[in-house]
Amino acid sequence: MLAPSLFTTQNYRRWLRLSILVIYLIIVAGAVVRMTGSGMGCPDWPKCFGYWIPPTEASQLEFMPNTSFKKGMVIIVNEELQVAKEDFFTADSYNAADWEPYTKHDYAVFNKFHTWTEYINRLIGALGGLVVLIAALLSLQFIRTRPKITILTVVALLAMLIQAVIGKIVVDTLLSPVLITIHMIVALLIVGLLIYLLYEVLPTNLTYKNDGRLSKVAFVIIILTLIQVAMGTQVRQYIDHQVDLLGYPLSSEWLENGPVIFLVHRSFSIALLALHAWFIYRAIKIWRHPSRAYIVLAVLLVLTIVSGVIMNYLDFKFASQATHLVVASLILGLQFYLWMRLRTARTAD
C-alpha cells in the first residue's frame, strides 16, 4: 500500500517525468538493439533461452549428463531449440523424449553480446511498466476531482502492457519489420500521452502569447513530422530487407539503389527545417517566448539531419541509425509540449 502522504500532485508529476524519461530509455535501448542486430538475442519471451537471467556462455545451452533441468529450460541440439517438457534429471546420454522442439520459429543461434543487449532492453521495458504503474496508482488522487487524469494514466499503463505483447509477437515472427514499426509508433503515442498528462498538472504560471497562428503552425509541424517519421520507418523496413539480403559488411550498398520514398524522405527534411526555422524565429524574436525549449528543438533538428547525412554518405557509421531514431522521437515529444503551451496561449492585442 502506498502511504497517503505520497498522494500529492507533486509526487504524481515526479513519476510522470520519470515515466517519460524511462520510455525514452526504452526507445534508446530499442534503437541499440536494431543497430547491433540483437533483436533475436533472446529467441523466446518473456524468458531468454528459458532463463529469467540468460546464459553467458554457449556451454550453458548444451546438453549435459547428470544435470537437473527445469520445465521450459532451453538447449540447442543440431542447431534447433529444444525445450524441457518437465522438471527432470538427465541420464548419461541425450533422450529426445524429455524434450520438445520450440515451434514458434527456427532461429537457434547464441551470441552472448546479442543476448545481453536484448535482455537489458527487456529489463528497461519492465522498468518502464513498473514506473507507469506507480504513476497510475498515484493518479487515483484525481479520480473524483479530475477523473480524466486517472483514466488517461490507466490508459498509458494498458498501452505499456500492449507494448509487451507486441514485443513478444515481434520475437515470435522473427523481427517482422511492420511489427517493429508498430512497436515504435505505440512508444511515441505513450510518450505523447504522458507529456499531455504532465502538462495538465503543471503550474500555469508560464503564459505564452501569439497572434493565433503560431499554435496552428505548431500543430501542422507535428503532423508533417509524423509523416516524415512514417516515411523514415518505410526506409528502415527497406534497409532491414537489405541487411537480410546483403548482410552488415555490405552496408555501403544498402541504399545504393534506394526506393523513391527514401529520396522523398531526404528532400522533405529540407522543407521541415525551413518551417521550423520560421516557427522558432517567430516564437523567440516576435513573441518573446522563453528560448530554452526552442533552442533545444533547433539543436535536435540539426542532430537528426547530421545523423541522416552520416547514414547516407558514411555507410551508417557512428551509431547514426540509433541517433537518428532517438532524436526524431525527442523532437516529436518537444513539439507536442510546445503545441500544448501554445494552444492555451493568450492572443496578443
Side-chain angles (χ1 to χ4, degrees):
M1 290 290 292
L2 294 174
S5 60
L6 295 177
F7 286 85
T8 65
T9 302
Q10 185 178 13
N11 275 339
Y12 176 67
R13 284 200 297 265
R14 287 172 179 166
W15 282 96
L16 281 180
R17 289 190 179 100
L18 184 58
S19 297
I20 294 168
L21 174 62
V22 175
I23 300 302
Y24 274 117
L25 285 177
I26 293 172
I27 292 173
V28 170
V32 171
V33 166
R34 294 192 73 176
M35 177 184 70
T36 58
S38 302
M40 291 303 294
C42 293
D44 49 335
W45 193 98
K47 294 184 179 181
C48 187
F49 288 102
Y51 294 86
W52 288 114
I53 299 177
T56 57
E57 300 294 338
S59 59
Q60 295 174 259
L61 296 172
E62 297 174 355
F63 173 80
M64 291 179 287
N66 305 314
T67 302
S68 176
F69 282 89
K70 300 291 185 182
K71 180 179 179 180
M73 291 177 68
V74 174
I75 61 173
I76 300 177
V77 179
N78 297 325
E79 298 183 351
E80 293 182 352
L81 296 179
Q82 297 292 329
V83 184
K85 293 181 179 179
E86 301 291 343
D87 297 352
F88 70 97
F89 197 82
T90 59
D92 292 334
S93 59
Y94 175 78
N95 183 1
D98 295 327
W99 306 85
E100 59 186 3
Y102 190 81
T103 58
K104 292 182 180 178
H105 56 71
D106 58 0
Y107 187 89
V109 177
F110 175 75
N111 178 301
K112 179 169 63 176
F113 174 77
H114 289 171
T115 292
W116 279 86
T117 300
E118 169 61 14
Y119 180 66
I120 292 171
N121 175 44
R122 293 187 185 185
L123 287 181
I124 297 173
L127 176 63
L130 177 61
V131 172
V132 176
L133 171 62
I134 294 174
L137 292 174
L138 292 174
S139 74
L140 294 175
Q141 64 186 289
F142 303 107
I143 196 165
R144 291 184 179 179
T145 56
R146 303 178 68 183
K148 180 175 71 173
I149 299 295
T150 303
I151 292 171
L152 291 180
T153 312
V154 172
V155 168
L157 177 61
L158 293 175
M160 291 295 293
L161 295 175
I162 292 172
Q163 274 290 72
V165 173
I166 296 174
K168 170 180 168 29
I169 299 173
V170 166
V171 172
D172 290 345
T173 57
L174 280 176
L175 309 181
S176 164
V178 174
L179 287 173
I180 291 175
T181 298
I182 293 173
H183 205 42
M184 176 64 184
I185 291 172
V186 173
L188 291 175
L189 291 174
I190 294 172
V191 168
L193 179 55
L194 293 173
I195 291 175
Y196 170 78
L197 288 167
L198 179 60
Y199 175 76
E200 285 293 306
V201 294
L202 280 175
T204 57
N205 55 346
L206 178 59
T207 303
Y208 280 6
K209 61 180 181 178
N210 68 92
D211 60 358
R213 289 185 299 170
L214 211 55
S215 60
K216 295 177 182 177
V217 172
F219 182 74
V220 170
I221 285 176
I222 292 173
I223 298 301
L224 293 178
T225 303
L226 284 171
I227 293 173
Q228 178 74 335
V229 169
M231 288 192 289
T233 61
Q234 296 301 306
V235 175
R236 178 65 227 192
Q237 289 182 28
Y238 174 82
I239 292 173
D240 286 343
H241 176 70
Q242 294 296 96
V243 171
D244 292 338
L245 188 66
L246 303 174
Y248 284 93
L250 296 177
S251 59
S252 60
E253 299 181 18
W254 289 350
L255 285 174
E256 190 171 293
N257 296 302
V260 174
I261 193 72
F262 164 68
L263 300 176
V264 176
H265 178 70
R266 185 176 62 183
S267 301
F268 194 57
S269 63
I270 300 173
L272 267 180
L273 182 62
L275 185 57
H276 274 92
W278 179 89
F279 172 72
I280 293 170
Y281 174 81
R282 296 283 298 183
I284 296 176
K285 295 296 184 181
I286 306 300
W287 300 112
R288 307 294 181 184
H289 292 176
S291 61
R292 184 182 301 174
Y294 294 96
I295 291 173
V296 171
L297 179 60
V299 171
L300 291 175
L301 285 166
V302 172
L303 282 175
T304 192
I305 290 175
V306 169
S307 61
V309 169
I310 291 174
M311 282 194 292
N312 190 20
Y313 295 104
L314 296 180
D315 303 335
F316 296 82
K317 287 183 172 52
F318 311 121
S320 53
Q321 283 179 281
T323 301
H324 199 63
L325 174 63
V326 172
V327 172
S329 64
L330 289 170
I331 287 172
L332 275 168
L334 186 52
Q335 287 173 340
F336 189 63
Y337 172 77
L338 289 172
W339 173 66
M340 286 189 294
R341 281 291 187 193
L342 289 166
R343 63 191 282 267
T344 56
R346 64 184 179 88
T347 302
D349 297 330

